[in-house]
Amino acid sequence: MADRVFAARFKEAMDAKHMKQVDVLRAAADAGVKLGKGQISQYVSGKAVPRANIGHFLADILEVDMQWLYGKEEEKQQAAEHIGSAADAGNRERIMEMREFRKSTKLDNVLYDVRGPVVDEAARMEEAGTHVLKLNIGNPAPFGFRTPDEVIYDMQRQLTECEGYSVSKGLFAARKAIMQYAQLKKLPNVEISDIYTGNGVSELINLSMSALLDNGDEVLVPAPDYPLWTACVTLAGGKAVHYICDEQAEWYPDMEDMRKKITDKTKAIVIINPNNPTGALYPREVLQQIVDLAREHQLIIFSDEIYDRLVMDEEEHISIASLAPDLFCVTYSGLSKSHMIAGFRIGWMVLSGNKSVAKDYIEGINMLSNMRICSNVPAQSVVQTALGGYQSVNDYIIPGGRVYEQREYIYKALNDIPGISAVKPKAAFYIFPKIDAKKFNIVDDEKFALDLLRDKKILIVHGGGFNWGQPDHFRVVYLPRIEVLKDAVGKLNDFLTYYRQ
């Protein structure tokens, strides 16, 4: 409630002073106040309320009372009325000044809108009895993708053996299978001690950023990105510097943009290949350019490859670490997507290449790995089964397979809508279409997603949720069957015939 009150009054005060967000940022810079664009956006959208020092500054430049800006005068009045006339003055003062516990300022620039305000609204609608089509998250199970029977059978057989902790890095059999998979992917200089299992790749990203970054360290992260990367860099005290991926060039990284954003504070480059949210697959020549840049500036390469077994059109996925034996690389993958077991939470990371330059960092990884005891042991028990033998995912990604045919449909259907264009994804199960922001007068892509949700009961993620800077993209998950996608595209097409912001 307080967040919404502040947001409404903040916007009212800016309008009264004829100020825009950029004017507030400029005033902060002139005054030496540390205030970022992401913080302002959160204040305006009601996702956060500034701490007192920032609140004082905003009240001063907007020439309003700080208590009014925060809505505190109403809270005090309500508290006083609640106390009643029988309460003594000392009690009244204590209640009015009750200590308030707020979230950490480390979260000021953290966003995770894959599960954010629009999703919260969808949950509210569902609680009220409204059916919502969820095209916001890559969760295969609700759309009829089943875990291979052999995986379920083997987990059942091993459950009684998985009641205790494993060693912190994971079961030997699981890590051995992952090491052999890494060898097939040609990752250099990998031993079993270089394998870490995790509760999904998400946990390992958080762990590896926390072990590496000091306050102010910079990490190059793609835009658009999977927002957990930016969030984990920020939470670790670092700064995510976003390099642009070029929609006109199959969503490949813009190498010149990447190069010019490297500073003496840059420690690493993150790539997501195959990419979420665009579905792009990076060819060898692009990966080689990234390796050359990392080599030139002595950077770590973090490569998120969770979709490496969901590649279509007979394309080949190449692990970037295989091109960089002289660099220190960390490669992430798992079973959530390829084996349709997202809820089991089993992922891994592999350290490879020149580990001698990262001895102290690896010690930090080991420390944090030990602190969380271990990852999900029953899920670890099926890694060997899943990575060996028949790969049922291959049936989905060839002509006639569900993922392939749904990709073909959604690509054509979206491009047939006036004002929408999309690059054809080559992997994963996402597409990141562009919407003509001028045609529909879209200045706030989160509002676009909310309006579509409320009007057509379709849940998508706006481009800003992936740290894309313009309000002109959104992500669609094409896991539903074609008949469901047809209905969704029809509703989107109808929505855009009348929608204007």
Side-chain angles (χ1 to χ4, degrees), residues 10 17 19 23-24 27-28 31 56-64:
F10 185 35
K17 291 287 291 181
M19 293 179 75
D23 300 316
V24 176
H56 277 299
F57 166 73
L58 295 175
D60 287 345
I61 65 166
L62 296 172
E63 298 179 359
V64 296

Side-chain angles (χ1 to χ4, degrees), residues 50-214:
R51 292 174 71 89
N53 61 326
I54 300 295
H56 277 299
F57 166 73
L58 295 175
D60 287 345
I61 65 166
L62 296 172
E63 298 179 359
V64 296
D65 180 72
M66 182 175 168
Q67 297 296 318
W68 173 84
L69 191 59
Y70 279 84
K72 294 294 184 183
E73 85 291 355
E74 292 181 4
E75 290 180 15
K76 286 186 176 181
Q77 180 62 31
Q78 291 168 1
E81 291 173 359
H82 180 71
I83 295 166
S85 57
D88 61 60
N91 285 338
R92 184 180 298 117
E93 187 65 23
R94 280 196 296 274
I95 291 176
M96 286 191 293
E97 295 183 1
M98 187 176 291
R99 182 180 182 184
E100 183 179 3
F101 295 93
R102 302 198 57 78
K103 64 178 179 287
S104 166
T105 55
K106 290 182 290 186
L107 293 170
D108 282 352
N109 292 306
V110 173
L111 300 173
Y112 191 74
D113 285 345
V114 175
R115 296 179 184 263
V118 184
V119 179
D120 292 342
E121 175 65 9
R124 186 198 65 76
M125 291 168 63
E126 286 187 316
E127 287 173 4
T130 302
H131 173 71
V132 174
L133 175 59
K134 296 178 180 177
L135 303 180
N136 68 309
I137 192 165
N139 188 15
F143 300 106
F145 288 92
R146 308 316 313 168
T147 305
D149 290 343
E150 187 180 17
V151 170
I152 298 295
Y153 176 80
D154 281 19
M155 179 178 279
Q156 290 173 333
R157 289 294 299 269
Q158 296 178 85
L159 271 178
T160 56
E161 300 168 23
C162 300
E163 294 171 343
Y165 297 132
S166 72
V167 298
S168 62
K169 291 183 180 181
L171 296 171
F172 177 84
R175 289 188 293 137
K176 184 71 173 181
I178 294 165
M179 187 183 80
Q180 290 170 338
Y181 183 71
Q183 290 169 345
L184 292 175
K185 300 289 286 189
K186 301 179 181 177
L187 272 61
N189 192 24
V190 174
E191 301 172 3
I192 199 160
S193 60
D194 301 317
I195 312 292
Y196 298 75
T197 62
N199 295 301
V201 166
S202 301
E203 180 188 42
L204 296 169
I205 291 172
N206 191 16
L207 187 152
S208 51
M209 293 299 102
S210 297
L212 176 69
L213 299 176
D214 290 317

Side-chain angles (χ1 to χ4, degrees), residues 250 277-281 312-313 407-408 410-411 422-432 478:
E250 300 288 334
T278 66
L281 179 70
M312 290 171 276
D313 306 323
R407 187 275 307 259
E408 293 293 288
I410 199 71
Y411 168 68
V423 176
K424 192 172 190 177
K426 294 180 179 177
F429 29 67
Y430 310 108
I431 191 167
F432 198 58
Y478 55 85

Side-chain angles (χ1 to χ4, degrees), residues 114-339:
V114 175
R115 296 179 184 263
V118 184
V119 179
D120 292 342
E121 175 65 9
R124 186 198 65 76
M125 291 168 63
E126 286 187 316
E127 287 173 4
T130 302
H131 173 71
V132 174
L133 175 59
K134 296 178 180 177
L135 303 180
N136 68 309
I137 192 165
N139 188 15
F143 300 106
F145 288 92
R146 308 316 313 168
T147 305
D149 290 343
E150 187 180 17
V151 170
I152 298 295
Y153 176 80
D154 281 19
M155 179 178 279
Q156 290 173 333
R157 289 294 299 269
Q158 296 178 85
L159 271 178
T160 56
E161 300 168 23
C162 300
E163 294 171 343
Y165 297 132
S166 72
V167 298
S168 62
K169 291 183 180 181
L171 296 171
F172 177 84
R175 289 188 293 137
K176 184 71 173 181
I178 294 165
M179 187 183 80
Q180 290 170 338
Y181 183 71
Q183 290 169 345
L184 292 175
K185 300 289 286 189
K186 301 179 181 177
L187 272 61
N189 192 24
V190 174
E191 301 172 3
I192 199 160
S193 60
D194 301 317
I195 312 292
Y196 298 75
T197 62
N199 295 301
V201 166
S202 301
E203 180 188 42
L204 296 169
I205 291 172
N206 191 16
L207 187 152
S208 51
M209 293 299 102
S210 297
L212 176 69
L213 299 176
D214 290 317
N215 290 341
D217 286 344
E218 296 178 357
V219 177
L220 294 183
V221 176
D225 73 336
Y226 178 58
L228 185 78
W229 277 103
T230 295
C232 288
V233 170
T234 304
L235 283 170
K239 178 182 178 182
V241 178
H242 293 101
Y243 63 85
I244 298 298
C245 295
D246 185 0
E247 188 170 17
Q248 304 305 312
E250 300 288 334
W251 284 114
Y252 298 158
D254 182 329
M255 297 308 303
E256 285 308 308
D257 189 61
M258 185 184 287
R259 177 180 293 277
K260 73 182 182 183
K261 288 176 176 173
I262 295 175
T263 72
D264 58 358
K265 295 181 179 179
T266 308
K267 276 195 169 179
I269 298 174
V270 171
I271 71 165
I272 305 171
N273 178 41
N275 189 264
N276 175 9
T278 66
L281 179 70
Y282 300 161
R284 183 180 297 271
E285 55 269 24
V286 169
L287 297 173
Q288 187 62 59
Q289 290 179 66
I290 296 170
V291 168
D292 293 343
L293 199 59
R295 182 177 292 126
E296 178 184 347
H297 295 276
Q298 300 185 58
L299 304 176
I300 297 173
I301 296 175
F302 293 105
S303 186
D304 184 343
E305 300 180 1
I306 189 69
Y307 298 98
D308 69 338
R309 293 177 294 285
L310 282 157
V311 174
M312 290 171 276
D313 306 323
E314 299 184 352
E315 296 276 357
E316 178 191 10
H317 176 267
I318 299 168
S319 286
I320 192 169
S322 68
L323 308 178
D326 57 321
L327 302 180
F328 180 64
C329 299
V330 184
T331 304
Y332 306 81
S333 193
L335 303 179
S336 292
K337 314 299 183 177
S338 63
H339 287 73

